[in-house]
Amino acid sequence: MSNSNVVVYTSRNCTQCEHVIAKLSEWGVDFEERNVSENREYFKELQSKRIYGTPATFIDGEKILGFQVRKLKRTLGIPYEERFIDKDAMNFS
């Protein structure tokens, strides 16, 4: 779906990592997964970026830490439907 360069740094037993991977797959986004638990070089890459936890997603160089659906969608250009109603914007007159 996306023409973006997407790299996701993951680790073993990381629920948030699983959520990121699941959403990207659900949205049809091609990505490269780099598991820092299985590959020491990936761990060093992440540390060189001054990041010490997973998931860390890079979309065309933009960093997204953790599982942030809105930020992932916005960065990928996927429309996001807001679930919350802005009561200040509603006019009851």
Side-chain angles (χ1 to χ4, degrees), residues 27-70:
W27 299 331
V29 174
D30 293 327
F31 62 90
E32 177 184 352
E33 180 179 359
R34 297 183 181 177
N35 190 309
V36 300
S37 300
E38 297 173 3
N39 186 319
R40 184 94 175 131
E41 289 305 310
Y42 293 154
F43 181 69
K44 289 178 183 179
E45 282 176 23
L46 201 55
Q47 283 187 322
S48 74
K49 299 172 190 298
R50 302 180 65 85
I51 299 170
Y52 303 96
T54 57
T57 306
F58 290 85
I59 301 171
D60 293 331
E62 184 172 337
K63 169 180 60 179
I64 301 171
L65 301 178
F67 177 53
Q68 301 183 59
V69 174
R70 284 188 290 189

Side-chain angles (χ1 to χ4, degrees), residues 69-71 73-74 78-87 89:
V69 174
R70 284 188 290 189
K71 191 167 184 181
K73 280 188 158 187
R74 183 190 46 142
I78 299 171
Y80 182 78
E81 295 178 20
E82 186 64 55
R83 289 185 182 180
F84 304 103
I85 297 173
D86 183 359
K87 293 180 182 178

Side-chain angles (χ1 to χ4, degrees), residues 11-15 18 37:
S11 58
R12 280 189 214 114
N13 302 319
C14 171
T15 304
E18 293 169 9
S37 300

